[in-house]
Amino acid sequence: MPSRVFEETVLPHLNAAFNYARWLTRKDEDAEDVVQDACVRAMRFFSSLRDDDARSWLFAIVRNTWYSRVTRRGAINPLPLDMTDDPADSALNPEARLLQQHTVARVRDALEQLPVEFREVLVLREIEGMSYKEIAAVVQVPIGTVMSRLARARDRLSRVLKSSPAAMERAR
Amino acid sequence: MICLELEQHLDSYLDREIAADSAAAIREHLRTCLSCRQRVADREAVGRLVRSMPYYEAPDRLHRHLSTRVRRTRVTRHLFAWAAAAVFVVAVGGVISLVRPSATGDDRTAGDVVDGHVRSLMAGHLFDVRSTDQHMVKPWFLGRLDFSPPVVDLASAGFPLVGGRLDYVSGRPVAALVYQRQQHTINVFIWPTLSDRQNIGAWTLRGFHVRHWVRDRMSHWAVSDLNETELSEFVAALRRM
């Protein structure tokens, strides 16, 4: 019975899907709407799930659902394709200082400030522990792009975290 | 191994997405280079910070809602199964005869796909997803259609895939795959069907050639201003895949 299989293969990833959607939307209510829509779609297209990677499959649907909502609302400014890399930060602080200085709230703010294309690869890699291949399947970009986005996301995040709190306030 | 090289591979090294020999070379370099060790430690710290973020869990309301919804689908399916069985019994009794799609229905659809083809070229809306990579075009349709269209590149046969988009044909959302042959665009419209048509249908409407066939319960409609010979070649290549 397909719906039982759906319940057993897809619903176990509901929390992960919500966490991903929450980082995409930055709002609880929006994340809930996106995940609900995505799961309803997933139920309908369940027969298109070919391999056993239900998590990447569900995440891709979550992302498509989210993306069509924001583009419909005209609320997104997609990453320009010709965006050049940021200059590398040569003066890195020791890790201990980084860790001490930053509370959870500060890191969350810094992550939320990142362009969503950078934020999501960090969440998928660090929090979900996905491989580059899995991330590529979710985000629907080549693996090379996943790699460069991750590198730039980490560069930016460490730079934001090292900038002064005052600068962060202004940036918001 | 020089420091610049390490910088290039820093992320794939930390993410264990690098070949074993390259990883060994990096480890060897790190043994002797303090500034690179520092860089690695810093990068690891950033990862740890992200991992220390609280995990947002789906609210109970959402869990409940979706479980209920899944179960309801199951009950509905049971009802459908019983209804289908009832219809079958009646049909065997000779009361109902199945109506096959008529030729005029296909003629109308051929007109609709030509409209779709022309619209895509005139409105300059040929692509929703522009890619020559079938592995990017296929997942793009995920979550946008209630079926998964077969997507193959035919560059080897001289008809490169250039993208895809959502389209409407005969009042239903369909997948449109776009192929190119020199200056000619070929649109292939795909949607599920119950028909088991074996042959290839052919039409010429308003200067466009149309070919229609069914494969794996998917209705395929190819439209182009390409000459008939090359369009037939294209269809043959697509059906071979």
Side-chain angles (χ1 to χ4, degrees):
Chain A
M1 174 121 307
S3 57
R4 183 173 307 277
V5 184
F6 181 87
E7 214 170 350
E8 286 164 4
T9 50
V10 178
L11 288 190
H13 301 294
L14 189 59
N15 278 336
F18 183 83
N19 184 59
Y20 176 44
R22 177 64 175 71
W23 282 108
L24 287 174
T25 62
R26 292 178 290 186
K27 287 204 185 81
D28 283 333
E29 319 84 81
D30 290 355
E32 199 175 330
D33 288 349
V34 165
V35 172
Q36 185 165 320
D37 284 2
C39 285
V40 171
R41 289 182 187 196
M43 254 180 253
R44 263 194 290 149
F45 318 140
F46 189 46
S47 55
S48 74
L49 172 56
R50 286 277 170 269
D51 40 21
D52 52 4
D53 192 359
R55 182 177 58 158
S56 300
W57 177 81
L58 179 62
F59 275 38
I61 297 179
V62 165
R63 193 181 196 281
N64 284 343
T65 306
W66 161 77
Y67 195 81
S68 53
R69 284 167 67 102
V70 288
T71 46
R72 200 166 50 227
R73 262 193 246 142
I76 196 175
N77 18 355
L79 198 63
L81 288 173
D82 60 348
M83 202 171 97
T84 49
D85 278 25
D86 307 292
D89 192 331
S90 52
L92 291 179
N93 292 339
E95 130 185 32
R97 255 179 73 193
L98 260 184
L99 280 168
Q100 276 169 5
Q101 276 173 358
H102 306 298
T103 61
V104 166
R106 176 115 196 257
V107 179
R108 191 184 53 222
D109 287 350
L111 263 171
E112 291 195 341
Q113 272 185 42
L114 290 181
V116 63
E117 287 83 354
F118 290 161
R119 184 165 65 242
E120 68 175 338
V121 290
L122 277 174
V123 168
L124 295 175
R125 172 66 216 159
E126 301 291 0
I127 301 181
E128 291 302 329
M130 284 188 172
S131 67
Y132 288 3
K133 198 173 148 217
E134 288 171 315
I135 298 173
V138 172
V139 181
Q140 294 161 39
V141 296
I143 287 181
T145 308
V146 171
M147 213 178 286
S148 63
R149 277 194 193 168
L150 256 176
R152 286 154 65 185
R154 285 170 175 147
D155 282 345
R156 279 203 176 200
L157 185 63
S158 54
R159 195 148 0 97
V160 172
L161 288 173
K162 274 176 283 167
S163 68
S164 71
M168 280 183 58
E169 290 302 324
R170 275 202 305 279
R172 231 176 266 141
Chain B
M1 162 81 49
I2 54 163
C3 303
L4 195 70
E5 254 178 282
L6 180 120
E7 201 169 314
Q8 275 168 8
H9 300 295
L10 184 56
D11 293 276
S12 39
Y13 169 71
L14 287 173
D15 292 329
R16 294 184 185 78
E17 297 263 356
I18 201 171
D21 51 341
S22 311
I26 288 178
R27 273 194 299 274
E28 182 58 32
H29 173 73
L30 289 177
R31 266 182 353 106
T32 56
C33 179
L34 178 66
S35 70
C36 280
R37 272 211 301 279
Q38 192 92 48
R39 199 173 291 160
V40 166
D42 211 81
R43 209 61 158 180
E44 281 174 333
V46 173
R48 259 199 300 283
L49 285 172
V50 176
R51 288 194 295 277
S52 72
M53 290 292 95
Y55 204 79
Y56 296 108
E57 295 207 341
D60 288 343
R61 185 173 57 239
L62 187 59
H63 279 284
R64 275 198 309 273
H65 177 88
L66 288 168
S67 302
T68 318
R69 195 154 181 150
V70 170
R71 300 220 173 89
R72 213 170 46 219
T73 314
R74 194 180 300 158
V75 171
T76 318
R77 288 228 175 99
H78 275 303
L79 286 176
F80 268 124
W82 280 109
V87 167
F88 180 72
V89 169
V90 174
V92 167
V95 179
I96 291 178
S97 66
L98 288 175
V99 181
R100 293 187 136 280
S102 62
T104 54
D106 276 353
D107 291 344
R108 203 164 29 231
T109 310
D112 289 344
V113 296
V114 169
D115 286 345
H117 178 74
V118 173
R119 207 169 43 231
S120 73
L121 299 173
M122 277 175 48
H125 178 217
L126 201 48
F127 307 105
D128 286 327
V129 52
R130 183 167 199 146
S131 171
T132 55
D133 184 351
Q134 64 201 53
H135 302 296
M136 287 191 62
V137 175
K138 190 177 171 68
W140 182 85
F141 286 106
L142 199 67
R144 292 182 167 91
L145 287 170
D146 58 357
F147 61 95
S148 181
V151 180
V152 286
D153 184 21
L154 292 176
S156 55
F159 301 96
L161 173 73
V162 282
R165 69 173 187 285
L166 277 188
D167 211 316
Y168 273 86
V169 171
S170 307
R172 63 152 303 149
V174 304
L177 301 180
V178 186
Y179 293 86
Q180 199 84 43
R181 173 78 147 202
Q182 281 104 34
Q183 301 309 312
H184 304 279
T185 298
I186 308 168
N187 266 298
V188 181
F189 299 92
I190 302 174
W191 64 87
T193 180
L194 293 173
S195 153
D196 53 359
R197 177 190 192 109
Q198 301 293 321
N199 58 340
I200 302 178
W203 292 261
T204 298
L205 298 167
R206 287 174 273 155
F208 296 100
H209 302 298
V210 181
R211 293 286 184 278
H212 165 50
W213 69 99
V214 172
R215 187 180 179 180
D216 298 335
R217 299 278 170 184
M218 289 283 177
S219 189
H220 290 66
W221 292 82
V223 194
S224 182
D225 61 340
L226 195 63
N227 66 66
E228 296 229 35
T229 318
E230 281 182 290
L231 185 61
S232 300
E233 208 181 291
F234 169 78
V235 171
L238 196 56
R239 281 164 61 95
R240 264 201 307 277
M241 299 302 278

